[in-house]
Amino acid sequence: MNDKVKSYLQIIYGYRWLCIIVGIVILLTCVWLYANRISNIDTTGIRNAEKELLHAREYNQQAVDYNQRVRNAVESSQAINERTEERINRSVELNQRTENAINRSTELTTEARADAERAKAIIRESRNILERAKERNTQSQDGATQK
């Protein structure tokens, strides 16, 4: 029996590198199976975080777009306000000119009325002079016809 064990040991010893390689393969297979079983970690949190990050990026892009629109609206509003201010200033200036023209027109109207009153007085005086001249002329003609 001793010889039988010796012959088995000699056979195994002859194939020892093969046994070592088979042992290493079995060991690696066991480690891989164990690691694969443990690696079933729940990654739903990571996926949810990635989705939230994607949504945050989309919201951020929308916010940038809205900010650009608001900036454009503010710039447009400023331009409109400047034009409106210029038109208001022009309107105030034109109102002032109109007021000055009305005041000048009032002055000229007052002067024209005074001139009209003087003209009336001159016309009245001229009529009186003409009437007196007619009376004198008639009197002198009557006096000349009587002589």
Side-chain angles (χ1 to χ4, degrees), residues 3-140:
D3 286 333
K4 251 183 170 185
V5 172
K6 281 185 183 183
S7 72
Y8 282 128
L9 285 177
Q10 283 178 351
I11 291 173
I12 291 173
Y13 186 72
Y15 293 108
R16 100 176 153 190
W17 291 109
L18 181 64
C19 290
I20 293 173
I21 291 173
V22 168
I24 290 175
V25 168
I26 291 173
L27 179 68
L28 288 176
T29 304
C30 291
V31 167
W32 181 75
L33 288 174
Y34 181 76
N36 190 26
R37 185 178 56 101
I38 291 179
S39 70
N40 290 333
I41 298 173
D42 185 20
T43 59
T44 56
I46 294 172
R47 280 179 276 164
N48 289 340
E50 287 174 346
K51 287 179 186 176
E52 290 298 321
L53 183 60
L54 180 64
H55 290 286
R57 285 181 182 151
E58 290 173 0
Y59 294 144
N60 189 30
Q61 184 60 42
Q62 286 178 351
V64 167
D65 293 341
Y66 291 148
N67 285 339
Q68 183 64 38
R69 289 180 192 162
V70 168
R71 186 178 304 120
N72 292 341
V74 167
E75 289 172 358
S76 174
S77 175
Q78 285 175 341
I80 290 171
N81 286 342
E82 288 172 2
R83 286 193 305 244
T84 303
E85 185 177 349
E86 289 173 6
R87 289 179 182 162
I88 288 172
N89 290 339
R90 194 173 324 138
S91 176
V92 166
E93 182 182 328
L94 292 175
N95 284 342
Q96 185 64 38
R97 285 183 187 173
T98 303
E99 186 177 327
N100 291 342
I102 289 171
N103 291 340
R104 179 68 180 141
S105 176
T106 304
E107 291 171 6
L108 292 174
T109 303
T110 304
E111 289 177 12
R113 283 186 182 151
D115 288 344
E117 290 296 324
R118 279 182 285 202
K120 276 172 128 182
I122 291 171
I123 291 171
R124 199 176 312 120
E125 189 65 35
S126 297
R127 284 185 183 162
N128 290 339
I129 291 171
L130 280 174
E131 286 177 13
R132 277 183 268 150
K134 279 183 185 179
E135 286 175 12
R136 280 191 225 149
N137 193 12
T138 338
Q139 286 173 359
S140 62

